[in-house]
Amino acid sequence: MKRHHQVYIYTSHDCKMCELTKNFFRDAGIEFIEIDITHDKNAEIKMLEISNQNDTPVVEIDGRAISGYHPEIYETILSRDREREKDRDKKD
């Protein structure tokens, strides 16, 4: 059974690292929801609550927050989850 990740990317206007982050997930074929905090104070507050960071991007993958552009961390989380899925499929 293929698992779909719940991915939110908190972004701001003219953020180059935000664009790189979105491109990473697009290239990986993983759907995400972009949340632009530029004009949304509630979204900015939520981002701060989950990450303790004021800077974008902040990526939330299945409830785990990663601050900044860190493709190696995203890949580690996604790969680990893929391995768990394979193990589960073998047991079924």
Side-chain angles (χ1 to χ4, degrees), residues 9-25:
I9 304 175
Y10 292 84
T11 64
S12 57
H13 187 66
D14 289 336
C15 169
K16 294 199 185 315
M17 293 296 115
C18 297
E19 290 303 316
L20 289 172
T21 301
K22 292 186 291 185
N23 287 337
F24 171 88
F25 285 95

Side-chain angles (χ1 to χ4, degrees), residues 19-80:
E19 290 303 316
L20 289 172
T21 301
K22 292 186 291 185
N23 287 337
F24 171 88
F25 285 95
R26 282 186 195 114
D27 292 346
I30 297 172
E31 292 182 17
F32 60 88
I33 296 172
E34 179 179 3
I35 303 169
D36 188 336
I37 68 163
T38 306
H39 302 292
D40 186 343
K41 190 67 175 168
N42 290 330
E44 186 177 1
I45 291 167
K46 171 74 175 172
M47 183 187 80
L48 183 59
E49 286 174 356
I50 66 168
S51 68
N52 292 321
Q53 297 293 317
N54 289 322
D55 296 328
T56 55
V58 169
V59 177
E60 186 178 3
I61 305 173
D62 300 329
R64 295 172 274 195
I66 302 101
S67 299
Y69 175 61
H70 298 288
E72 68 284 355
I73 295 174
Y74 314 147
E75 188 56 47
T76 298
I77 291 170
L78 298 170
S79 295
R80 190 175 358 179

Side-chain angles (χ1 to χ4, degrees), residues 77-90:
I77 291 170
L78 298 170
S79 295
R80 190 175 358 179
D81 289 347
R82 278 188 222 110
E83 289 302 316
R84 287 183 188 142
E85 289 169 18
K86 286 180 189 174
D87 289 344
R88 252 184 304 216
D89 289 344
K90 287 179 186 175

